[in-house]
Amino acid sequence: MCRTVDLHQAVLARNDENALALRGYLGDRGTVAVNLLSSPGSGKTALLEQLLARAVARGTPAAAVTADLATENDATRLARSGAPVQQILTDGLCHLEAGMLRRRLEGWLPDGTRLLFVENVGNLVCPASYDLGETLRIALASVTEGEDKPVKYPTAFGLAQLVVITKTDIADAVGFDREAFLRGVEQVNPGVPVLETSARTGKGVDALLAHVLRAADGEEAHVPVLARQHERYLHSHDHADGTGPHTHDGDGGHDDDGGRAPAPGREHRHDRTPGAAPVPAEARGNAP
């Protein structure tokens, strides 16, 4: 008699356990995590640099972790904001997982950090299924990517608690159909807030930071309909401030090549805390 084990489900279940532990770890420190998901080239690094700089300017303790398959380019850019920044290199893994993030934060996350921005790997497929212990999940899309991004990637946009449009300063030049985009967002995630931004002009950056700070202060975030529909992977958790449970969905597809479980990857640690010497890269074992 043969027994089949769904490895993908097992990986997601293990990630959910790690995310729950990470959420408790961050809650004990008074830190709120914001998970940023988008395609490559959406402009989320430029926008995040603006967010960090404004948080620093107003005295809000903020830090960032940025993930890429290779290079430390994004960490170098983000460090210009004056906020502590750390790079994770996934060595081919197409997303972050909660265990990877927890290991990078331990011994590094500065005491008193209020906001932790996590810039996920540029990918709208793999990262959508993985809870990172975040309080707020944001899906971003630029005006250059086309109006149909939300309906093409319904899990990423359908599980978002906030949708952000980037590069709006060139919307007219590229013929962006704003109304079609908004209809697509509403189709996959009814009622989700949408903010329009431009890192170049500063449009919407203050509004985005204010939205994040309200979430950090305990304002209940939008609960996507999709998170309620997929009970197989649905789990709930309490806010650190005791405002009650909200949900995330570990739904569905993992990657672009048939839904296989994640390939083993290595993690490297690169510290870009302002004024601190870089921490040497260190190879890790298989990702959780």
Side-chain angles (χ1 to χ4, degrees), residues 44-64 77-85 115 117 199 202 205-206 208-209 213 274:
K44 68 177 178 296
T45 304
L47 185 61
L48 179 52
E49 184 180 352
Q50 292 288 327
L51 284 171
L52 290 170
R54 296 187 189 208
V56 169
R58 63 180 290 161
T60 301
R77 290 177 59 187
L78 294 177
R80 298 184 304 201
S81 68
V85 178
L115 303 178
F117 292 95
V205 180
D206 286 330
L208 178 54
L209 181 57
L213 288 170

Side-chain angles (χ1 to χ4, degrees), residues 19-29:
L20 183 62
L22 177 55
R23 187 168 284 108
Y25 169 78
L26 293 172
D28 289 344
R29 299 175 64 95

Side-chain angles (χ1 to χ4, degrees), residues 229-284:
Q229 291 176 345
H230 291 265
E231 296 182 358
R232 186 174 187 181
Y233 297 120
L234 191 66
H235 64 277
S236 65
H237 50 265
D238 291 329
H239 286 288
D241 61 4
T243 56
H246 66 276
T247 58
H248 291 280
D249 182 4
D251 171 45
H254 166 69
D255 54 22
D256 288 322
D257 55 357
R260 296 193 300 270
R266 297 193 310 279
E267 304 159 44
H268 296 271
R269 177 174 178 171
H270 301 268
D271 196 328
R272 284 293 179 272
T273 303
V279 175
E282 57 181 2
R284 293 276 177 171

Side-chain angles (χ1 to χ4, degrees), residues 60-240:
T60 301
V65 172
T66 182
D68 281 301
L69 277 66
T71 83
E72 300 175 41
N73 295 349
D74 286 355
T76 301
R77 290 177 59 187
L78 294 177
R80 298 184 304 201
S81 68
V85 178
Q86 187 176 95
Q87 178 86 50
I88 295 178
L89 298 183
T90 66
D91 281 354
L93 195 63
C94 59
H95 61 276
L96 278 179
E97 296 178 6
M100 298 165 62
L101 180 59
R102 171 71 180 267
R103 288 194 293 275
R104 299 284 65 81
L105 295 178
E106 288 180 336
W108 171 81
L109 185 65
D111 291 338
T113 299
R114 182 62 175 143
L115 303 178
L116 173 66
F117 292 95
V118 181
E119 184 181 19
N120 220 312
V121 178
N123 185 334
L124 283 173
V125 181
C126 311
S129 297
Y130 287 82
D131 183 0
L132 297 181
E134 70 263 22
T135 294
L136 187 65
R137 177 178 288 211
I138 301 177
L140 305 92
S142 73
V143 299
T144 60
E145 296 177 69
E147 300 80 15
D148 58 354
K149 266 292 186 291
V151 293
K152 277 188 172 181
Y153 299 94
T155 302
F157 287 91
L159 290 174
Q161 294 163 296
L162 175 67
V163 172
V164 172
I165 305 173
T166 63
K167 304 184 182 182
T168 58
D169 55 300
I170 58 172
D172 290 341
V174 299
F176 178 65
D177 190 335
R178 176 180 178 274
E179 295 307 316
F181 181 90
L182 294 177
R183 286 195 299 271
V185 171
E186 184 67 15
Q187 178 180 330
V188 301
N189 195 345
V192 66
V194 179
L195 288 178
E196 301 182 38
T197 67
S198 167
R200 178 176 294 176
T201 67
K203 174 185 175 181
V205 180
D206 286 330
L208 178 54
L209 181 57
H211 189 102
V212 171
L213 288 170
R214 288 195 298 272
D217 289 338
E219 181 177 295
E220 188 69 18
H222 169 74
V223 180
V225 172
L226 185 60
R228 299 191 183 103
Q229 291 176 345
H230 291 265
E231 296 182 358
R232 186 174 187 181
Y233 297 120
L234 191 66
H235 64 277
S236 65
H237 50 265
D238 291 329
H239 286 288

